[in-house]
Amino acid sequence: MNKLKLSLITVGVLAVAAGGTTFYAAHKAETDLRAAYDWFNKEIGEGWLDQKLQLKNAQYHKGVFNSEAQFDLTIPGTPDKLTILQHIHNGPLLKTANGWKLGWYAVDFEVDPKILAKLDAKSKAWLEQHKNLLAVGYHVGLDNTRHAFFKQGEVRFEDNGEQFVSAATTHTLDFDSALSHIRYRFALPQLSFTGKDKKTGGALKDMVLEGEIRSTEGKLDINNAQHQFSLGSLSFTEQKPDYSAEELFTEMPASEASAGEAAASDVPAEPPVKMKTQQVAIKDIQVSGNGELKDGFYNQSVSYKLGDIQGNADGLALGKDPIRSLEFGFSLKHIHAESLRGLTDSMVVMYRNLLRQSLNGNYQDMEKQLGSAAFGMGAVMIANWTTIAKHDPTISIDKFVMKTAANRSMQGDLSVTLKGLTDADIGGFNWAAIQNKLLIEGKGSVSEALLKAMESNYQADRMERLVKAQLIRRDGDTLSTEFKVAAGQITVLKRVFPSLQAFEAETRKLTDE
């Protein structure tokens, strides 16, 4: 009996606790959503769009386990409005369009179905075939973090023999209530297009874009972020005119030319332009970017990789040697943080003001404002770039590697640092002083066979003179060099030149002989 009483008491306590939690969740959901309406109108509608986009007629009907809300969005430039319905599920156990979740509450969005009455029959039929086209919503975790999602069903368009297909996918966005930290992930498993002739088209597979934007001093900072883009494969096929066909450039015999001058009607018709098929397939595509803040300075980097390139498209070959892979890395280091934020904040303010003017149709005022904004931005940019230049910034090509089908390669790296620049150097445009405070270091190598493929007039004797002068190193088919510029002095491999002019004179003499 005691065990039964204890069990009943336990169940009762849990029921009261669950009821209290649900009641608090319902209250919190209403409070948060009403605050969100006010924030949208102030920050977006008023701050960015000059009240051209407003959230109006907000209604909230609170229930114990579920609540309903709706609001109208005015559409810029039209008297129309869009009614959005919100279905709120009160926690702690939440059933959402993105599955079961644990949290305070969840919100699923829906466009008022009444809008369908305004669509034409063809649009209604298409939407009927894509009932699960979109699902948008978010839930608030017990730690108050927002977890938003955007689910897209499979999309198919077919028109006049052309076909477009986008696979079903889900995108996510996580952020805190203060918008001081954002994580995102956008994914697209497959996207394809097929032309009417079935000979042209393209496809991409396994595309993912994800990353995070962090805060600086409690404020979201786009310079303090990390991003990663990857693509499993990209392929396309197209038909292009083959202007390289020899018959298009064959000269007409003199006798035929004379006859043509005598009787224009006898000139033969131009031959039809031949078409050629170009096919390209690229696998393992990656782009990444990273920005971090340390001791008042930003370090930012971007890298690109095309891992496996196959095909015969114009522009994807050096001479007649197709490019098969490419890697490139770029970075900015020791960039004065306050000055960089000043540049980005000024750009945001300028674009916000221009957007407000364009929505009002004040294009003349917009042109005047653009001119004054550009002038003001110029002053801001000079001030901030000057500060950045005085704090020893470095710009680098961290990596460049290109390989071809014939197993030839080209690679290198380069870094440029301004060291110890002063106001007097910049204000007086003292170029000699600025040159003396430049630190440049780099190295590179290339297959000589690749150079010959790239340059139809490649002169091996000139390269041999550079090798003998110890400005270029030869190792079999590979040509390489290393150099450093410091305090106005240039070092190439083991040779030292007192100035840029002395180096230029030496190389000119060697290449002009």
Side-chain angles (χ1 to χ4, degrees), residues 3 62 89 157:
K3 288 184 179 180
K62 182 166 66 175
H89 314 282
F157 285 107

Side-chain angles (χ1 to χ4, degrees), residues 322-375:
I323 298 171
R324 286 293 177 253
S325 67
L326 178 65
E327 293 184 65
F328 179 78
F330 173 85
S331 68
L332 297 170
K333 299 173 184 174
H334 209 259
I335 307 299
H336 190 252
E338 186 176 345
S339 299
L340 186 58
R341 286 199 297 269
L343 287 171
T344 53
D345 290 347
S346 298
M347 292 292 290
V348 169
V349 171
M350 183 183 76
Y351 284 118
R352 183 182 66 186
N353 291 338
L354 291 176
L355 178 60
R356 290 165 61 96
Q357 292 289 344
S358 66
L359 289 171
N360 284 317
N362 297 331
Y363 297 108
Q364 291 183 347
D365 292 343
M366 183 177 169
E367 290 178 4
K368 294 177 182 178
Q369 188 170 357
L370 181 59
S372 60
F375 179 80

Side-chain angles (χ1 to χ4, degrees), residues 36-54:
Y37 301 156
D38 293 339
W39 177 89
F40 180 90
N41 281 336
K42 181 179 179 180
E43 298 296 330
I44 306 300
E46 181 179 344
W48 275 90
L49 303 178
D50 200 24
Q51 298 185 352
K52 293 298 183 292
L53 182 67
Q54 285 285 298

Side-chain angles (χ1 to χ4, degrees), residues 12 17 72 100 113 128-129 142 151 195 241 252-253 303 353 383 388 421 456 458 471 506:
D72 297 333
W100 286 94
E128 186 65 26
Q129 294 174 357
L142 298 178
K151 293 184 71 172
M252 186 183 300
S303 65
N353 291 338
I388 290 173
L421 211 59
S456 58
Y458 178 76
L471 297 178
E506 174 74 2

Side-chain angles (χ1 to χ4, degrees), residues 42 70 132 141 143 158 166 210 231 275 397 466 474 500:
K42 181 179 179 180
Q70 71 176 57
N132 300 319
D143 60 353
E158 293 190 26
S166 176
E210 58 187 340
L231 185 58
M275 302 297 288
I397 297 175
L466 291 171
R474 183 193 297 279
L500 177 61

Side-chain angles (χ1 to χ4, degrees), residues 69-90:
Q70 71 176 57
F71 57 84
D72 297 333
L73 274 179
T74 58
I75 301 175
T78 73
D80 297 331
K81 63 180 181 180
L82 186 66
T83 300
I84 304 296
L85 309 180
Q86 292 176 295
H87 309 295
I88 300 102
H89 314 282
N90 303 321

